[in-house]
Amino acid sequence: MADSASVPMLKHKDLLEIATLSREEIQLILHTADSLKDVARHPIKKLPTLRGRTMVNLFYETSTRTRTSFELAAVRLSADVVNIDVGISSVKKGESLLDTARTLEAMSVDFIVMRHAASGAPHTLARNLHASVINAGDGQHEHPTQALLDCYTVREKLGGIAGKTITLFGDLLHSRVARSNLLAFTKLGAKVRFCGPPTLCPREFEQLGAEVHHDVKTALAGSDVIYVLRLQFERHRLGLLPSVRAYTQQYGISTDRVKLAKPGALVMHPGPMNRGVEISHEVADAPQSVIVDQVANGVPIRMAVLYLLESGRTARAASPPVPAPMGAAA
Ligand code: ASP
């Protein structure tokens, strides 16, 4: 929801999922990232937009790329950043998620970036706090900023998303990236295919709008993008795969398999990669691979999200909702 009158903004207080973003809001984030991407090339990599604002990174699951990328994005917009190490915080003493978040808010935090193993955890915080909550991955549900940076990368490399065929391979069942990307790519007009063994890629995904394939050859034919997902061993129950080796033989993305897609098809992966399992070393480092570009694009995308949420916060503060007259129906 851009404010057509003047300053671009997201009117939601929080960024929790792609599901509730409109196509126009996604496009607004991508356009805003275009103008922020240049900042990384300036000798002084800073804009004053978030001066005086504080962002907290609250990660209950491990992260390298996402946490660092949010931190860099905030720092480049001049915010102060605090990283909470959950391993040595009061969470270890059994403090509830909400108590931890309320403690942070009591110290006047403006943005909380959160990753949690439970789907919906950031939504709970968002409902209970004034701070803007950004979902950096909740369980198997969504990872919205990953999808946004992936859309940005496809648009940058292929000139657009509408009409493209984007095929995601691997552990679709446990992947929050798969869900967010399916929603974002389809909202922007792409055709999305999911491919993996039936235990990791059930037919139910068809109800969400994905074409489901269990055969790599047919899935790759005509693909503009080969998007490889990590096997999320930490979320696996026993019996999902006969063996890791069998998975690699049947579904691993090798140089020969890349040739089955459209010539010049992009190869993507959200990281961290299990090299030699879901993707070969050669494919990961091939010229068609844009995995490093995905990481680089994470910073301007997260800057755009912070910038647009901040514009919305400023607009709300300038014109708070008018209280209903006494006696009016609730
Ligand atoms: N980094 C992504 C996530 O947090 C993908 C992965 O872990 O496989 O969901």
Side-chain angles (χ1 to χ4, degrees), residues 66 115 143 146 176-177 230 232 270-272:
T66 307
R115 171 168 289 185
H143 190 348
Q146 177 72 46
R176 50 199 176 206
V177 174
R230 182 175 67 90
Q232 307 214 353

Side-chain angles (χ1 to χ4, degrees), residues 223-242:
S223 293
D224 298 281
V225 177
I226 305 169
Y227 196 111
V228 191
L229 293 163
R230 182 175 67 90
L231 287 187
Q232 307 214 353
F233 295 114
E234 74 277 21
R235 299 187 213 276
H236 280 198
R237 289 176 278 112
L238 272 182
L240 279 177
L241 290 174

Side-chain angles (χ1 to χ4, degrees), residues 15-19 59 61-63 65-67 69-70 113-115 122-123 134-150 175-184 227 232 235 270-272 301-302:
L15 179 75
L16 300 175
E17 56 195 15
I18 298 291
F59 279 60
E61 278 191 338
T62 53
S63 171
R65 274 154 292 271
T66 307
R67 200 179 64 96
S69 173
F70 267 111
V113 178
M114 186 201 196
R115 171 168 289 185
H123 300 63
I134 303 174
N135 180 5
D138 62 327
Q140 294 169 212
H141 176 231
E142 278 225 35
H143 190 348
T145 56
Q146 177 72 46
L148 292 166
L149 72 89
D150 289 334
S175 174
R176 50 199 176 206
V177 174
R179 275 170 194 72
S180 288
N181 276 3
L182 171 62
L183 290 164
Y227 196 111
Q232 307 214 353
R235 299 187 213 276
I301 279 293
R302 290 172 175 122

Side-chain angles (χ1 to χ4, degrees), residues 3-16:
D3 185 340
S4 50
S6 50
V7 184
M9 69 178 78
L10 285 171
K11 289 192 176 158
H12 313 272
K13 175 174 82 68
D14 314 284
L15 179 75
L16 300 175

